Each structure stands twice: as C-alpha cells, then as structure tokens.
Amino acid sequence: MTEDNAYTIKWGILSTGWIAHQFATDLAHASNGVAYAVGSRTQESADEFARNHGIPVAYATYEELVSDPEVDAIYIGTPHPFHKENALLALRAGKAVLCEKPFTVNSAELEEIVAYARQQKLFLMEAMWSRYIPANAKVREWLAAERIGEVRLVKADLGFRADWNPEGRLLNPALGGGALLDVGIYPISFASMVFGPHPEAVSSTVHIGETGVDEHFSLLLSYGDGKSASLNGGIRLKLHEEAYVYGTEGYIVVKGTLVNPKSAELYVGGELVETFEDDRTSIGYSFEAEEVGRCLQAGLTESPVMTLDESVAILKLLDGVREQWGLKYPGE
C-alpha cells in the first residue's frame, strides 16, 4: 500500500487476456485500489496492455511481476488450468491474491493453495465477482431480515450459445472447457449464497458434446427440510438468466443477468413491495477489488463474504457432479 494513502492497494495484473482487460478497466472505479503493474508472457503484450489501461509498469514474465516490491496484490486472470501454478507463484512471493473463478479445476488443487496461504498468513480470495455486486448484497440483506419467510427453493440458470471453436477455451478439454466451470459456477455459487455449500443430495443430467466437454447440464440440489435448488447451465444453449428465491411468505427476483445483475425485486404475499436498482456506470469488477482492499486494511486473510472454506466446498461439489458424469480433465 502506498505511504501517502494507506487505503490504496497497488494491483499487479497477471494476464493480458479478455477478463484481465475487464478487471483493469473497472479498477478505475475502485475507491481503494489502482492498477500499478501488469505481467504477461511477452514484453510486447505487457506493453500494449499497459498502454491501453494507463498502467505504469509492464513485465515480460509473471515472475518479474510478483517479485515487484511495490505490488500489494495480484489479480490472476489466466485460464483456470493455470490458476494453481499462478496463485502459488504469487503467494510464494508474499503477495495477496485474487484469483479468477473457478479457483482451480478441482478441489485438490485448491486445498493445496489454501493450505499454503493459511500457513503463510497471506490473503487469498476467489474472484467470484457476482457475490459482491450490489443487487446480490441486497438479496442477502433481505434474506437475513427474513423478508420472504423461510426459504424453500432457488432457481437459477445461466447459458449462452457460443460459436463453434473446438480449440477455444470453452470447448477444449485441455483448457478446462465446458459449461460447469465456465457458467455453472455462477448458479451454484448463488445457491450456496442462499443455502450454504453443503447440499445433502445432488442429482444431475448432462449433454457431453463431440469435443468431450459438458455443453449443458441440469442440477437438483437437496438441502433437506424441503429446501432445494434447481440450476441449469450451458455454453451451447441460450438460457434465461434471471434467478429466483422462493420463501414461505414471498419471493425475490434477481433481474438482468445472473452474472452481473442490475436490479432485484422483493415480493411479499404476491405483491411487489420493494425494488433495488443499481445505477452504477462501472462494469462490476471494482466491487471485488474493493473487498480485497477492505480485507487487507482490516488485516484479514480471507473475505467473510465468500470464505475459502466455501470456495473449497463448491469445488468439491463440482468434483462430485463430474464424477456422476464420468468427466475428467486432462492430467487428473
């Protein structure tokens, strides 16, 4: 953190891909962080990224980035099969880490990273940006106040029809492709936000495409006592992307898109009683960056909004779903 302003986190961005561009763009809206450095696999790529985002320092290697003593926190935006390697690289350099979702391709990889971070007392967080979006924060507020009574059912879907590109990230098994890790993590995380990450039973169906990845799926999670979540995801199937939370006294609708909702509606007794509208101009990645800053300022090593234990539990759930499907990633 800078000496003249103890509340400004100097970010190092590890990757120059699409999601890293989104994160860097939105850092301009963060109240407690700035993009200070970027690392890539070539100097040319790093320099171009730095010019586009007004970043003062550009490195040709990830090793140089994490070794910069001015960098407080590292954002990892590489494809998920590389997250374990990249996260450990940054942690071993003593940096706080915000790692893109899904944290890793399986829970064993994540448990290794978490164990190291906890041993070294270093900050680590999954970049599940939707958890920090204001509309979802309002949903948690309504649920905590029991505005819809006892919650019984969550319904959440996320899916789009991607172009056919067998070598691209979405359809390539070697890159951890498939609907479950790319889009499925969002409805599953939403259900975890409402019910917790430990369903009593999981049933599923899946369509495995010709490249060997899951192109769309359906999950039914049972939490006991009549509580369940119906979740769907797809990368070759366009789905309606709103989320619904049904309780004994009413229901909540998260509108727009499950990934980045801009509004939420609260219904009680069949009547609309409250609407939350988010008029921000930012994309939405700034909220997770601000959470990292708040945690670091408070001396925390993980976020209370989405703990490391929850991230591990969700990946264990995904592991179990893939076991039902007989689906493994290369190297597992």
Side-chain angles (χ1 to χ4, degrees):
M1 290 178 282
T2 58
E3 294 181 2
D4 59 335
N5 183 354
Y7 297 97
T8 299
I9 305 301
K10 286 185 174 180
W11 283 94
I13 299 175
L14 193 154
S15 174
T16 55
W18 179 85
I19 194 70
H21 277 284
Q22 298 291 100
F23 182 81
T25 297
D26 227 37
L27 264 182
H29 297 275
S31 62
N32 58 5
V34 295
Y36 171 77
V38 61
S40 184
R41 288 172 294 184
T42 68
Q43 191 67 56
E44 181 183 12
S45 175
D47 288 341
E48 181 181 4
F49 190 97
R51 283 194 301 271
N52 289 338
H53 296 284
I55 297 174
V57 181
Y59 291 112
T61 68
Y62 298 153
E63 289 78 9
E64 290 175 288
L65 173 69
V66 303
S67 297
D68 187 331
E70 290 294 312
V71 172
D72 300 309
I74 297 290
Y75 166 79
I76 295 171
T78 53
H80 30 272
F82 306 105
H83 286 177
K84 174 189 170 183
E85 172 189 346
N86 299 152
L88 286 174
L89 178 70
L91 289 169
R92 287 168 180 155
K95 304 303 185 186
V97 171
L98 174 66
C99 183
E100 256 310 324
K101 63 84 200 166
F103 228 141
T104 51
V105 296
N106 57 49
S107 60
E109 288 189 349
L110 179 54
E111 286 177 318
E112 182 179 344
I113 299 170
V114 169
Y116 184 85
R118 286 176 168 167
Q119 180 187 34
Q120 301 298 319
K121 297 180 172 55
L122 293 168
F123 181 86
L124 177 65
M125 187 178 108
E126 183 176 15
M128 180 51 67
W129 66 307
S130 60
R131 184 66 65 94
Y132 304 94
I133 296 295
N136 281 332
K138 177 58 70 173
V139 170
R140 294 196 295 275
E141 179 184 315
W142 286 338
L143 294 177
E146 299 182 348
R147 298 287 300 276
I148 62 171
E150 187 174 358
V151 179
R152 294 293 188 182
L153 175 65
V154 166
K155 186 179 186 303
D157 304 334
L158 181 61
F160 58 91
R161 184 163 178 81
D163 293 335
W164 182 252
N165 180 8
E167 301 304 317
R169 178 180 61 84
L170 291 174
L171 296 173
N172 188 340
L175 296 178
L180 189 65
L181 291 190
D182 188 76
V183 298
I185 192 80
Y186 287 107
I188 291 169
S189 180
F190 186 85
S192 180
M193 182 183 79
V194 176
F195 286 128
H198 299 288
E200 293 183 358
V202 179
S203 57
S204 66
T205 62
V206 66
H207 170 65
I208 304 295
E210 63 180 87
T211 66
V213 305
D214 52 303
E215 292 190 358
H216 63 260
F217 67 85
S218 297
L219 300 180
L220 181 62
L221 311 182
S222 174
Y223 299 86
D225 194 27
K227 300 176 181 179
S228 63
S230 173
L231 314 173
N232 299 279
I235 53 171
R236 293 278 290 162
L237 190 67
K238 174 61 179 172
L239 302 175
H240 194 54
E241 296 182 353
E242 295 181 344
Y244 301 82
V245 184
Y246 297 96
T248 54
E249 305 297 329
Y251 62 96
I252 295 167
V253 184
V254 181
K255 301 180 70 66
T257 169
L258 183 62
V259 174
N260 188 13
K262 294 293 184 68
S263 65
E265 295 177 344
L266 173 66
Y267 292 81
V268 177
E271 300 292 331
L272 177 62
V273 298
E274 189 174 340
T275 300
F276 173 82
E277 294 287 351
D278 183 357
D279 61 356
R280 60 184 157 90
T281 56
S282 64
I283 304 170
Y285 296 94
S286 58
F287 299 113
E288 63 182 5
E290 288 180 332
E291 174 71 4
V292 175
R294 284 190 295 268
C295 290
L296 291 178
Q297 293 152 26
L300 301 178
T301 55
E302 59 185 278
S303 168
V305 177
M306 187 162 188
T307 66
L308 294 175
D309 285 343
E310 183 180 4
S311 290
V312 170
I314 288 174
L315 267 174
K316 286 185 175 180
L317 173 60
L318 300 187
D319 290 347
V321 170
R322 289 196 294 115
E323 187 175 359
Q324 291 183 10
W325 301 344
L327 177 62
K328 291 186 177 183
Y329 300 116
E332 286 190 312

